[in-house]
Amino acid sequence: MARSHLTLAALATSAVPGLDVVQARKHSQGAHGLFDSALIIGSDGKQLIIRVPVSQSAETEQSADLVALRALTVGNRSRLPFDVPEFVGQAPAGNTRAVVYELLTGDSFDADALTGHVGVSGSIGRAIAAIHSLPTSFVAEAGIAQHSAQDCRTSTIDLIDRAAATGHLPAALLRRWELATDDDALWQFQPTVIHGSLTADSLLISDDAVSGVLGWSELAVGDPAQDLTWLLAARGEASETALAAYNQARQGSDHRIAQRAMLYAELELARWLLHGTDTKDQTIIDDAIDMLDGLVDTVHSHTTHPLNPTTGPALEVSDIEAILAQTPRTAVTHEPKGSMHTDSYEVSDVDDSRFIPSDFSDSEFAPRDPAETAAYTDADLRDALGDAGAGAGAGADTAARTDDQASRRSSSE
């Protein structure tokens, strides 16, 4: 049974010494199935969010998020043009723990709205670039996962091989993706600090600028293309502005990043298929097959244009984010200390190395010969988005996945 906002308020007073609660109310954002959550207002006017995980996977995510927030020290945060959630306190809550964060100001919007405004889009590009410009040393010091370009390439090949082994991967897509992994030039990039699970839901907007970034549980060093996948799928007219602002801030240091992000988006369908086969859920398997077939149709319908880095993948951003929400992203190699069987533990007790972000599908997409691998233009792709969504059971199944995406909202929501 879900904990009431009054129960959560009582837990908050245990977690934060001296807290005098004057108001508490249910906080639904970010709590769809993963957390019991409430907004707490203290007598000093401070607004806090308290969250209690309701499953082992939610607790693992929360623990990883705390490791990342701990690593993002004052010095690191000062390099970012936005706020990051602040850990305030914790308290035992049955077999798990309640964690309290400061509430970040700002509003949430979907990806198309975020990329529909030039000013906001530019701020998004610069915000992502700021994350990627952080020094990688602090990630190593925190014991958080680091992946080389070759690691990213190898894990991508493994992902494709596993998807092919299901027998459900169309030959045209297998060929298309293998061409990408065979192209050495696609993997000549410098790994950076990455958010790791960035979507529109991760961003808070105030005064037409990014004011906060949430959900840091998959912080790592890896392929920066991973953080751009959702952006390239957005339909807003100013989506290209975000990418241009990003490239300008990063001084164009990674010329193939958009192409790798596009491939990564397509490979989310492979992840979705594997999730279905791993869980033996035929509904998910059928959904993935339909979406893969839709992607094949798009690829083979448009063969006259080389793949353009400014185009998006043949998926609607809501499809990508919904799949990201449903598909397990974090591989835990050991039982974390903060398991549901432990009453509580301090943030300093977390073994950082136990939270290993998912393997990467970070490659670029530049066929050796345009005739070998079909491609498509921006307009073609956007026309195909509806086909991919419709063919994937866009009704109840997609709605359910979209609802669950909200549950991945960040630690301060």
Side-chain angles (χ1 to χ4, degrees), residues 235-404:
R235 290 185 170 189
E237 294 180 357
S239 58
E240 290 81 4
T241 302
L243 185 58
Y246 173 87
N247 285 329
Q248 182 176 15
R250 296 284 295 160
Q251 299 181 339
S253 58
D254 188 346
H255 300 293
R256 308 293 287 276
I257 188 169
Q259 294 160 300
R260 292 200 312 278
M262 291 163 62
L263 175 60
Y264 180 82
E266 293 191 4
L267 287 174
E268 286 305 320
L269 297 188
R271 292 186 185 278
W272 187 232
L273 173 64
L274 289 169
H275 179 50
T277 56
D278 290 344
T279 59
K280 296 180 172 58
D281 189 322
Q282 192 60 44
T283 300
I284 293 177
I285 294 172
D286 292 342
D287 187 36
I289 291 172
D290 285 343
M291 297 182 83
L292 288 164
D293 289 344
L295 180 57
V296 171
D297 290 342
T298 301
V299 168
H300 282 282
S301 295
H302 311 288
T303 60
T304 59
H305 304 284
L307 192 63
N308 188 325
T310 63
T311 64
L315 289 171
E316 191 165 351
V317 66
S318 59
D319 290 328
I320 294 173
E321 293 188 341
I323 291 171
L324 287 170
Q326 285 280 55
T327 309
R329 309 296 300 170
T330 304
V332 181
T333 56
H334 303 281
E335 181 76 2
K337 285 186 179 180
S339 72
M340 296 292 283
H341 306 293
T342 303
D343 288 340
S344 69
Y345 58 87
E346 297 299 323
V347 176
S348 59
D349 292 335
V350 178
D351 182 354
D352 301 354
S353 64
R354 294 181 178 186
F355 301 100
I356 309 300
S358 61
D359 54 348
F360 293 90
S361 305
D362 333 35
S363 63
E364 289 186 28
F365 229 87
R368 298 168 179 170
D369 183 337
E372 285 187 87
T373 305
Y376 29 80
T377 66
D378 185 55
D380 294 331
L381 284 163
R382 301 197 191 284
D383 289 343
L385 300 183
D387 294 338
D397 291 340
T398 301
R401 295 199 308 275
T402 302
D403 285 343
D404 190 64

Side-chain angles (χ1 to χ4, degrees), residues 11 16 18 20 110 114 237 281 323 367 380 400 412:
L11 285 170
V16 184
D20 180 19
D110 64 30
L114 286 176
E237 294 180 357
D281 189 322
I323 291 171
D380 294 331
S412 83

Side-chain angles (χ1 to χ4, degrees), residues 6-168:
L6 297 177
T7 299
L8 293 172
L11 285 170
T13 60
S14 298
V16 184
L19 175 63
D20 180 19
V21 178
V22 297
Q23 186 178 350
R25 64 174 183 268
K26 185 176 177 61
H27 189 72
S28 60
Q29 292 178 324
H32 297 271
L34 288 180
F35 299 92
D36 292 333
S37 180
L39 171 65
I40 306 296
I41 301 177
S43 58
D44 57 358
K46 181 173 291 186
Q47 298 185 70
L48 305 172
I49 295 295
I50 182 169
R51 301 198 318 171
V52 180
V54 298
S55 68
Q56 180 65 65
S57 61
E59 181 166 355
T60 299
E61 178 180 316
Q62 180 169 265
S63 297
D65 191 65
L66 290 175
V67 171
L69 294 181
R70 176 174 167 229
L72 288 166
T73 61
V74 172
N76 290 323
R77 292 169 187 243
S78 68
R79 299 170 182 264
L80 301 172
F82 51 76
D83 293 328
V84 174
E86 290 278 1
F87 168 79
V88 177
Q90 64 178 345
N95 292 326
T96 183
R97 59 174 173 169
V99 176
V100 181
Y101 308 84
E102 288 189 1
L103 176 70
L104 297 186
T105 60
D107 298 313
S108 299
F109 300 91
D110 64 30
D112 293 344
L114 286 176
T115 57
H117 187 289
V118 172
V120 173
S121 290
S123 177
I124 291 171
R126 290 186 291 274
I128 299 173
I131 296 172
H132 296 173
S133 298
L134 288 172
T136 58
S137 57
F138 84 89
V139 173
E141 291 167 0
I144 298 174
Q146 301 180 81
H147 300 275
S148 68
Q150 184 57 44
D151 291 336
C152 297
R153 184 180 194 176
T154 299
S155 60
T156 300
I157 293 171
D158 178 65
L159 173 63
I160 295 169
D161 288 347
R162 287 187 290 122
T166 67
H168 297 303

Side-chain angles (χ1 to χ4, degrees), residues 107-115 120 124 128 195 197-205 210 212-214 227-234 317-318 320-322 324 405-406 408-410 413:
D107 298 313
S108 299
F109 300 91
D110 64 30
D112 293 344
L114 286 176
T115 57
V120 173
I124 291 171
I128 299 173
H195 179 280
S197 56
L198 196 67
T199 68
D201 284 332
S202 307
L203 306 178
L204 296 175
I205 305 298
V210 176
V213 176
L214 312 171
D227 286 343
L228 296 179
T229 300
W230 68 276
L231 186 61
L232 293 181
V317 66
S318 59
I320 294 173
E321 293 188 341
L324 287 170
Q405 165 62 24
R408 306 284 296 187
R409 291 292 304 273
S410 71
E413 283 214 1

